[in-house]
């Protein structure tokens, strides 16, 4: 795909039920221009919203081909919504894709992430996200810079440079710079890094610069920015460790 409207037609095809359709970018695509990542939720009148039906889980292969999509603006006021560039994936493979200068926000019980809201049995390789992620109205779901809730999914050579905000959150929320929360036993992260500014209510306990709540995911060569948020894993049921990297001497 080389044009915005073709990309949108492709994603709408997924949400109409053709969930296994494959796709490949052939150039960078700008959805909206201007400071989308720093808009603080205020939508410019010229911007197009990225509000697509999230009732179908993507199951195909999407190759970004080394290109990026810029200026994604997505908000939702629906409970239990799945919010992200890909709302939901299962048995999908996403490779070589960047999402930059983008803004995503969700309401209560949301699955909220920049690349994908909810990922299951999926693989992400050579992907990166630069975005602001905001949970609103006492959100008590999952919020992650890259993915909100991840089950049995694998991440290789991926990076998140994000701000994750959930100032109205309660103690059930899981917040992570890369993954909000994982579940099941077979997920894997390798060569993954997160530089995340995280803003949450004081009572929110499952917060990590890399993963908010880690349930048995194995990770190798994973890094987080210790200057932005000092804890790598908020809560964990295994002994895996991450490495905090300072950004200043």
């Amino acid at each position: 795909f080389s044009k915005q409207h073709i990309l949108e037609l492709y994603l709408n095809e997924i949400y109409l039920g053709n969930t296994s359709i494959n796709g490949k970018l052939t150039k960078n695509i700008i959805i909206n221009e201007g400071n989308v990542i720093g808009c603080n939720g205020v939508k410019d009148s010229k911007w197009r919203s990225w509000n697509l039906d999230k009732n179908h889980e993507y199951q195909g292969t999407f190759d970004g081909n080394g290109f990026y999509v810029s200026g994604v603006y997505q908000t939702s006021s629906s409970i239990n919504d799945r919010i992200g560039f890909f709302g939901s994936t299962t048995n999908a493979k996403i490779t070589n894709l960047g999402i930059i200068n983008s803004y995503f926000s969700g309401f209560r019980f949301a699955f909220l992430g920049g690349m994908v809201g909810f990922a299951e049995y999926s693989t992400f390789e050579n992907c990166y996200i630069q975005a602001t992620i905001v949970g609103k109205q006492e959100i008590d779901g999952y919020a992650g810079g890259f993915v909100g809730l991840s089950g049995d999914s694998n991440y290789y050579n991926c990076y998140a440079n994000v701000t994750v905000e959930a100032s109205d959150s309660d103690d059930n929320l899981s917040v992570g710079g890369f993954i909000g929360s994982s579940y099941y036993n077979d997920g894997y992260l390798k060569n993954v890094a997160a530089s995340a500014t995280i803003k949450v209510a004081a009572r929110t306990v499952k917060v990590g610069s890399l993963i908010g709540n880690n349930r048995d995911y194995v990770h190798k060569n994973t890094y987080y920015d210790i200057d932005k948020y000092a804890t790598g894993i908020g809560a964990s049921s295994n002994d895996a460790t991450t490495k905090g990297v300072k950004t200043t001497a």
Side-chain angles (χ1 to χ4, degrees):
F1 312 120
S2 61
K3 295 183 181 297
Q4 172 185 326
H5 72 277
I6 298 176
L7 176 63
E8 291 177 332
L9 287 173
Y10 165 77
L11 291 178
N12 274 309
E13 186 71 16
I14 296 169
Y15 301 129
L16 287 173
N18 190 2
T19 57
S20 297
I21 188 172
N22 298 328
K24 185 176 183 178
L25 292 182
T26 57
K27 67 180 298 184
N28 298 324
I29 293 179
I30 299 175
I31 304 297
N32 292 300
E33 295 182 343
N35 185 20
V36 181
I37 193 172
C39 71
N40 197 29
V42 180
K43 182 178 181 295
D44 189 296
S45 61
K46 300 185 295 293
W47 291 351
R48 299 181 64 178
S49 296
W50 192 259
N51 290 334
L52 303 173
D53 175 28
K54 305 302 186 300
N55 293 325
H56 297 89
E57 296 180 334
Y58 180 53
Q59 302 178 49
T61 297
F62 189 94
D63 183 4
N65 198 27
F67 296 108
Y68 62 73
V69 178
S70 176
V72 182
Y73 178 89
Q74 183 179 12
T75 63
S76 172
S77 58
S78 300
I79 294 175
N80 290 325
D81 210 350
R82 299 178 179 188
I83 301 149
F85 182 75
F86 294 96
S88 185
T89 64
T90 183
N91 294 306
K93 186 175 183 180
I94 314 298
T95 61
N96 309 311
L97 175 65
I99 306 296
I100 66 171
N101 185 33
S102 296
Y103 179 92
F104 303 87
S105 71
F107 195 59
R108 298 187 65 189
F109 301 102
F111 300 79
L112 175 60
M115 185 67 67
V116 57
F118 174 54
E120 188 173 46
Y121 308 116
S122 297
T123 296
F124 298 82
E125 187 171 1
N126 300 325
C127 294
Y128 62 94
I129 179 80
Q130 180 211 27
T132 296
I133 317 295
V134 179
K136 298 181 178 180
Q137 297 294 325
E138 297 182 354
I139 184 171
D140 52 3
Y142 311 94
F146 195 96
V147 53
L149 181 63
S150 178
D152 274 2
S153 294
N154 301 314
Y155 305 85
Y156 305 101
N157 305 317
C158 293
Y159 176 72
N161 182 7
V162 293
T163 296
V164 184
E165 300 181 14
S167 58
D168 292 331
S169 57
D170 70 11
D171 56 7
N172 291 319
L173 176 68
S174 297
V175 177
F178 193 85
I179 296 176
S181 180
S182 62
Y183 74 102
Y184 299 154
N185 298 323
D186 296 327
Y188 188 67
L189 291 82
K190 184 177 181 180
N191 300 328
V192 166
S195 178
T197 299
I198 298 177
K199 303 175 184 178
V200 295
R203 61 183 180 276
T204 307
V205 294
K206 298 175 183 176
V207 183
S209 193
L210 190 72
I211 305 176
N213 186 25
N214 183 34
R215 302 175 182 173
D216 295 326
Y217 264 40
V218 175
H219 33 104
K220 181 178 181 181
N221 297 334
T222 54
Y223 302 89
Y224 63 95
D225 189 339
I226 197 171
D227 286 343
K228 290 188 175 180
Y229 198 85
T231 301
I233 306 293
S236 181
S237 57
N238 68 15
D239 295 326
T241 60
T242 58
K243 299 177 181 178
V245 178
K246 293 182 70 63
T247 57
T248 57

